Amino acid sequence: MNSEETKEPMETGDSAAPEAESPESKLRSEMLYLRAEFENTKRRLLREQESSIRFANDRMVGELLNVVDMFERALQSGSALKSHESEEVKSFAKGIEMTHRELVHLFTRFGAELIGQVGEKFNPAQHEAVAQGPAEPDLVDCVTAVAQRGCVLHGRLLKPAKVVVGIAKS
């Protein structure tokens, strides 16, 4: 008997080596993969485009924030002008207030929110503490003065508010 004759034949069925994929099956798999990649890329590009549009004016908003600060300083230093005898001076002061109010309203129309108000709780994610000062017990760890307003655009912090934080009197 020959050694070739004693060998048992290979079994066929589940235990056999997997058949090679047909060319049509390979092409179909590749097409499905490419379609999924295309859809993912399309979604990513749309998200990036939307984000670019939402935050396209962030530099301009940041620069205009300086103008808001100047108006607020003018309002603080010119508060005595409202009680001036001259109608022209009163009208000038009122015009400054109206311009400031319109500028702040313009910010909100474009999704920007001014942050930094006296009395609000100090939040290190939105406030930059430039100083600390003694405060009443209800204003400890709260903003007691605002040196410069900050801004959030569509939930993204553009510029933190520079504030004075109250500490307990000793």
Side-chain angles (χ1 to χ4, degrees):
M1 214 183 216
N2 204 344
S3 65
E4 290 176 21
E5 292 175 15
T6 59
K7 289 185 180 175
E8 293 182 26
M10 271 184 86
E11 290 183 29
T12 58
D14 292 341
S15 63
E19 278 188 40
E21 245 184 291
S22 70
E24 295 84 15
S25 170
K26 282 183 182 179
L27 285 175
R28 180 166 170 66
S29 296
E30 189 175 323
M31 182 193 70
L32 289 172
Y33 175 79
L34 290 173
R35 181 187 289 170
E37 278 295 311
F38 175 74
E39 289 299 320
N40 290 338
T41 302
K42 184 174 146 184
R43 276 190 229 108
R44 182 180 50 80
L45 288 173
L46 286 172
R47 276 193 315 269
E48 288 174 3
Q49 180 184 25
E50 181 182 306
S51 178
S52 293
I53 290 170
R54 288 181 75 173
F55 297 106
N57 56 1
D58 64 345
R59 286 185 46 215
M60 183 183 68
V61 168
E63 293 296 322
L64 282 175
L65 189 57
N66 295 330
V67 176
V68 170
D69 286 333
M70 288 181 220
F71 269 105
E72 288 178 352
R73 285 190 205 113
L75 289 171
Q76 287 173 352
S77 62
S79 61
L81 295 178
K82 288 190 257 179
S83 62
H84 198 272
E85 295 173 10
S86 170
E87 284 300 316
E88 291 172 339
V89 174
K90 287 180 185 178
S91 292
F92 178 75
K94 187 171 176 108
I96 295 290
E97 285 178 6
M98 289 170 55
T99 305
H100 173 261
R101 191 174 26 249
E102 183 59 31
L103 186 57
V104 170
H105 182 66
L106 182 68
F107 271 70
T108 58
R109 282 198 322 242
F110 285 95
E113 176 189 351
L114 296 177
I115 56 174
Q117 297 287 332
V118 173
E120 68 186 8
K121 186 85 171 147
F122 177 73
N123 179 355
Q126 292 187 335
H127 301 122
E128 179 182 332
V130 294
Q132 293 180 328
E136 298 299 320
D138 58 331
L139 289 178
V140 172
D141 292 333
C142 291
V143 175
T144 57
V146 179
Q148 197 172 40
R149 301 275 299 265
C151 186
V152 174
L153 180 63
H154 298 293
R156 180 193 292 173
L157 181 69
L158 292 184
K159 187 175 179 181
K162 296 181 180 185
V163 299
V164 176
V165 180
I167 58 173
K169 295 179 183 178
S170 46

